[in-house]
Amino acid sequence: MCGILALIQANPSETSVAGELHDSLYFLQHRGQDACGIATCASGGKIYQCKGNGLASKVFRDDGARVADLPGYMGIGHLRYPTAGTSADAEAQPFYVNSPYGESILSFTKKIGPMSEILVNVISTDDTSGICFAHNGNLINARDLRQFLDFEAHRHINTESDSELMLNIFANELNETGKARVNDNDLVKAMGRMYDRCIGGWACTAMLAGYGLIGFRDSYGIRPLVWGSRPSDSGEGTDYMMASESVALKQQGFKKFFDVLPGQAVIIRKGASSPEFYQIQEQKSYTPDIFEYAYFARPDSILDGIGVNQSRENMGTKLAEKILRTLTTEEIKGIDVIIPIPETANTATPFVAARLKRRYYQGFVKNRYSFRTFIM
């Protein structure tokens, strides 16, 4: 489980996208606390990146000072909760690949006190070169993909992360076009071949330098991805944003938001008046991960048209009904109190207690100053 973000401003001369992405990291911090990062693209196709292990407040400093290193009008962000790979700094996302077009890369490490973060500057030789990638999901055929990339595609994989595998599969398929400049049709065909190769569940955001943003979701709809729009600050044009949860969009003033559907991709080009939607793979089912509703997502988010808070209330009612069917009247009378395990159960437990007519009691107190806060 991870958190992903993407934002593109209407005016390509804007340089403030990183500030909003940085703010949004905090609204999704519960989705991953091991590492985080932001990559932005400025005019001329130059990519800036800051990422590293730790909370957003560590990687970007408490005052957000590192955001100044990330000018640009579009960008993507990531919060990592590792389910594959290792906890090495190199596995912090977003990932970047300088293929298929071969632009140069400059990288250096800045140390601030006891902290060490990596800032990567990428200078494109082409206004539509370079791919940045933020991934939430798991690939169950990672070993086969690694062998393909090594022995057939001849691509070097630098980490143990299956996210880097997926990025390189996409880049390799895009390279099959043989073009220096791609279009939407090229992207859709490359994603189609990538979907055919990759097996698993995912939601991803990608940024093509000088071109625009892409968001896409597996054909089962397992991992969540929402998108939204708002008028730009100047009143000319529209800003677009994508995120794992609607709360990130709402907090940034995006009042209209929708779900990316299973197997669907949305492409938002630089300066475009509206996004374009493509069905990359036929929808196989619509089966969002129940873990999002029971445990992982924020209660004030809406995922796939379902309010997380309401779903937890419903779970409490259903659980109480099951208890009533399972236990005898005397056994239920023997229940002293109903206690939630904070914090995800806090919503459901009052409904269980009310239905069983037993006392609701806060028996556990969470330390709100501990660093591990993903239990929402």
Side-chain angles (χ1 to χ4, degrees):
M1 295 290 186
C2 296
I4 58 174
L5 296 159
L7 177 61
I8 184 167
Q9 296 172 323
N11 186 354
S13 63
E14 288 283 351
T15 60
S16 60
V17 72
E20 290 193 84
L21 287 171
H22 174 250
D23 290 343
S24 297
L25 290 178
Y26 292 96
F27 294 115
L28 297 183
Q29 184 74 82
H30 59 284
R31 298 191 66 88
Q33 296 193 329
D34 287 71
C36 66
I38 292 173
T40 63
C41 182
S43 59
K46 187 174 182 179
I47 294 175
Y48 300 83
Q49 183 167 262
C50 177
K51 62 179 183 176
N53 280 352
L55 301 173
S57 59
K58 174 187 175 183
V59 174
F60 294 94
R61 302 179 67 181
D62 289 331
D63 59 357
R66 299 300 301 279
V67 172
D69 296 326
L70 305 170
Y73 63 93
M74 67 174 175
I76 63 174
H78 189 269
L79 295 143
R80 184 171 187 245
Y81 176 65
T83 54
T86 70
S87 58
D89 273 328
E91 300 208 359
Q93 296 186 43
F95 282 122
Y96 172 83
V97 66
N98 65 336
S99 236
Y101 309 121
E103 55 278 17
S104 60
I105 303 176
L106 301 175
S107 67
F108 54 92
T109 301
K110 285 186 176 180
K111 292 186 178 180
I112 304 175
M115 302 181 297
S116 174
E117 296 107 0
I118 299 173
L119 175 67
V120 180
N121 285 330
V122 181
I123 303 175
S124 300
T125 59
D126 189 296
D127 191 42
T128 56
S129 299
I131 307 169
C132 290
F133 198 78
H135 171 261
N136 171 30
N138 289 96
L139 303 180
I140 61 175
N141 64 332
R143 179 178 297 180
D144 294 338
L145 295 176
R146 190 175 295 273
Q147 288 184 335
F148 166 77
L149 290 168
D150 188 8
F151 296 106
E152 296 185 46
H154 306 301
R155 285 180 172 268
H156 175 70
I157 304 301
N158 196 49
T159 71
E160 297 300 316
S161 172
D162 55 359
S163 305
E164 190 185 10
L165 296 176
M166 194 171 196
L167 167 59
N168 276 273
I169 292 291
F170 178 48
N172 185 68
E173 297 300 339
L174 198 57
N175 193 39
E176 295 299 314
T177 65
K179 295 181 178 180
R181 293 177 180 269
V182 297
N183 55 38
D184 282 12
N185 188 52
D186 298 323
L187 295 173
V188 170
K189 289 181 178 179
M191 281 189 283
R193 294 190 294 269
M194 178 188 68
Y195 271 57
D196 290 339
R197 286 194 183 275
C198 297
I199 302 173
W202 59 77
C204 303
T205 55
M207 178 175 69
L208 274 69
Y211 190 89
L213 300 176
I214 309 172
F216 53 92
R217 196 175 179 193
D218 69 84
S219 56
Y220 294 93
I222 297 173
R223 296 288 188 261
L225 185 62
V226 297
W227 72 275
S229 62
R230 71 178 181 197
S232 68
D233 289 341
S234 67
E236 298 181 4
T238 304
D239 299 335
Y240 295 97
M241 185 174 181
M242 292 178 277
S244 296
E245 297 184 35
S246 63
V247 64
L249 279 72
K250 188 175 181 180
Q251 294 297 329
Q252 296 301 337
F254 289 80
K255 296 182 180 180
K256 295 181 179 180
F257 42 84
F258 311 89
D259 297 290
V260 176
L261 299 176
Q264 188 181 68
V266 54
I267 299 177
I268 309 171
R269 295 192 61 176
K270 176 181 68 174
S273 58
S274 62
E276 298 291 337
F277 297 90
Y278 301 92
Q279 195 65 34
I280 304 301
Q281 194 173 72
E282 183 180 352
Q283 179 176 314
K284 296 177 181 177
S285 67
Y286 206 154
T287 50
D289 187 356
I290 190 65
F291 192 69
E292 293 282 351
Y293 298 97
Y295 184 72
F296 204 60
R298 276 180 52 142
D300 48 348
S301 285
I302 299 173
L303 304 176
D304 294 298
I306 301 172
V308 175
N309 190 74
Q310 183 63 58
S311 73
R312 291 177 184 168
E313 292 178 359
N314 294 344
M315 289 177 198
T317 301
K318 293 290 186 181
L319 176 58
E321 291 173 353
K322 183 174 182 179
I323 292 172
L324 288 170
R325 291 194 306 269
T326 305
L327 301 182
T328 66
T329 302
E330 290 302 314
E331 287 173 327
I332 292 174
K333 286 182 179 180
I335 297 173
D336 296 315
V337 291
I338 309 294
I339 299 174
I341 304 299
E343 290 185 11
T344 51
N346 290 355
T347 305
T349 304
F351 289 82
V352 178
R355 186 75 176 86
L356 299 182
K357 298 180 181 179
R358 310 314 295 165
R359 184 185 176 193
Y360 169 74
Y361 190 79
Q362 291 280 356
F364 293 89
V365 178
K366 180 183 173 184
N367 181 357
R368 297 185 180 277
Y369 301 97
S370 63
F371 289 110
R372 195 59 141 170
T373 63
F374 73 88
I375 303 177
M376 294 297 290

